[in-house]
Amino acid sequence: MAEFTRRNFLSATAGAAGCLALSGSAFSGAVAAAEGALPPPPQVPLGKTGITLSRVGQGTGMSGGNRQSNHTRMGFEKLVTLLKHSYDRGITFFDMADLYGTHVYFREALRTIPRDKVTLLTKLWFRYDKLDPKADAAAIKKVAAATLERFCHELNTDHIDIVLLHCVMVRNWPEELGPYMEALDQAKKQGLIRAVGVSSHDLGGLETAATCPWVDVVLARINPRGARMDGKVEDVVPVLRKIRDNGKAIIGMKIYGEGSLAKNPQDREECIKYAQTAGLVDAMTIGFEAPNQVDETLALLAKYPQSPVV
């Protein structure tokens, strides 16, 4: 998911750990000298899914919609270069969605990035289908199966690690999306998918995900100030703890509040410190739009080691 704007990020004059001063879109000399010393993000288990991925992932959905995003609007050369930079820095988790239109871009990146070294997450935008889950259940299952086949073709892969139902916004989403859940279950049994779940944009929907046996992974909005979240921090955190208590994995998104908390180095540091020390998320996804954004966040991850997930 999208995290922070390039304009806001590059307007800052100083970075993490007192060493990441930015000058326009390029690093200062001090940062350039320290580039090789940036530690990669740790590899972590994703709950009980059996999946191991980098603690932070490269998102591709900044201002995403209608099968495009700020990332696709960069064009193939710039986006593929960014994806490769993230991989070279040790990021092995890549977050995509049909809604963002980023599959074919990552397919190009996979020409030089080994498929077996990365974890791919994508999301099914069920709203495209406009089918009644009760009257058209059989059709929905066929459409969902064909959609997953298309995803694999677009990515040039024989499986996708994590597939989520994209942007649940009602408490009773399992009733509305039952046929999609069945189709994803079948794909999981066939080995086409390793883990399933939802991305949440509603507190009620998040609460349902906490108790739904079908869910392996929840993509949840979390940051220290409640920016662009499903509710207030004090309301969301107990739900995330319940998700964890029920054995489900959590991937955090909106870590920088979709840009609203990325306007200065102090805010960015606060956000990463919170994500790393709150003990809530297994991993996080951030919609980096430039290499220096990747590098600053990796420096912050190193400055604030991850606390145990509880």
Side-chain angles (χ1 to χ4, degrees):
M1 298 295 290
E3 295 303 336
F4 52 96
T5 66
R6 191 170 191 270
R7 178 178 297 175
N8 287 341
F9 189 96
L10 297 179
S11 69
T13 58
C19 69
L20 290 179
L22 303 178
S23 175
S25 61
F27 287 111
S28 70
V31 174
E35 274 187 341
L38 276 174
Q43 295 289 308
V44 298
L46 183 61
K48 299 178 180 179
T49 64
I51 295 170
T52 298
L53 72 178
S54 54
R55 171 71 175 168
V56 65
Q58 168 71 58
T60 61
M62 188 63 174
S63 300
N66 197 27
R67 291 201 172 103
Q68 58 181 305
S69 68
N70 282 1
H71 289 87
T72 67
R73 288 185 280 270
M74 294 179 190
F76 266 91
E77 183 176 356
K78 287 185 178 179
L79 179 51
V80 172
T81 297
L82 174 63
L83 296 172
K84 186 64 163 58
H85 177 86
S86 294
Y87 177 75
D88 289 343
R89 284 287 190 252
I91 291 175
T92 61
F93 165 36
F94 293 87
D95 170 24
M96 296 167 282
D98 197 21
L99 187 66
Y100 312 154
T102 46
H103 292 163
V104 292
Y105 292 79
F106 197 78
R107 175 178 179 157
E108 188 68 20
L110 282 173
R111 291 180 183 275
T112 54
I113 294 174
R115 172 64 183 93
D116 62 350
K117 300 296 184 184
V118 293
T119 297
L120 304 187
L121 180 154
T122 193
K123 311 175 198 78
L124 192 156
W125 186 253
F126 50 88
R127 294 173 180 85
Y128 281 139
D129 301 333
K130 299 180 180 179
L131 294 169
D132 184 330
K134 295 182 179 179
D136 303 315
I140 287 174
K141 293 176 189 178
K142 290 180 180 180
V143 168
T147 298
L148 293 176
E149 289 182 8
R150 172 170 61 82
F151 288 0
C152 287
H153 175 71
E154 290 172 348
L155 288 162
N156 193 28
T157 184
D158 63 358
H159 75 283
I160 301 172
D161 300 286
I162 308 160
V163 176
L164 307 179
L165 295 174
H166 197 171
C167 191
V168 296
M169 300 182 69
V170 294
R171 183 178 293 275
N172 68 335
W173 59 262
E175 298 174 27
E176 295 188 356
L177 302 177
Y180 290 99
M181 296 163 68
E182 291 180 34
L184 293 183
D185 253 345
Q186 182 61 29
K188 186 178 173 183
K189 291 175 182 176
Q190 295 170 342
L192 188 66
I193 299 171
R194 298 180 65 191
V196 299
V198 295
S199 67
S200 176
H201 288 253
D202 173 79
L203 187 58
L206 189 67
E207 291 171 341
T208 299
T211 59
C212 179
W214 176 82
V215 171
D216 299 319
V217 179
V218 178
L219 184 60
R221 303 189 286 184
I222 184 66
N223 58 66
R225 301 187 198 172
R228 310 291 197 275
M229 282 174 48
D230 292 355
K232 297 178 180 179
V233 175
E234 58 267 30
D235 294 327
V236 170
V237 167
V239 183
L240 297 185
R241 297 206 182 281
K242 186 174 183 180
I243 292 171
R244 298 219 52 79
D245 290 344
N246 288 337
K248 305 175 190 306
I250 300 174
I251 298 174
M253 62 173 167
K254 300 295 186 288
I255 301 300
Y256 291 120
E258 201 173 9
S260 62
L261 305 180
K263 297 178 181 179
N264 60 68
Q266 293 75 25
D267 288 343
R268 297 196 294 275
E269 183 162 350
E270 178 189 4
C271 289
I272 295 299
K273 181 180 180 180
Y274 181 77
Q276 286 286 83
T277 61
L280 295 171
V281 302
D282 297 278
M284 67 190 88
T285 176
I286 299 177
F288 305 114
E289 293 185 79
N292 50 5
Q293 297 174 1
V294 176
D295 294 351
E296 181 186 35
T297 295
L298 293 184
L300 287 169
L301 289 177
K303 182 175 181 180
Y304 298 102
Q306 176 187 354
S307 298
V309 178
V310 295

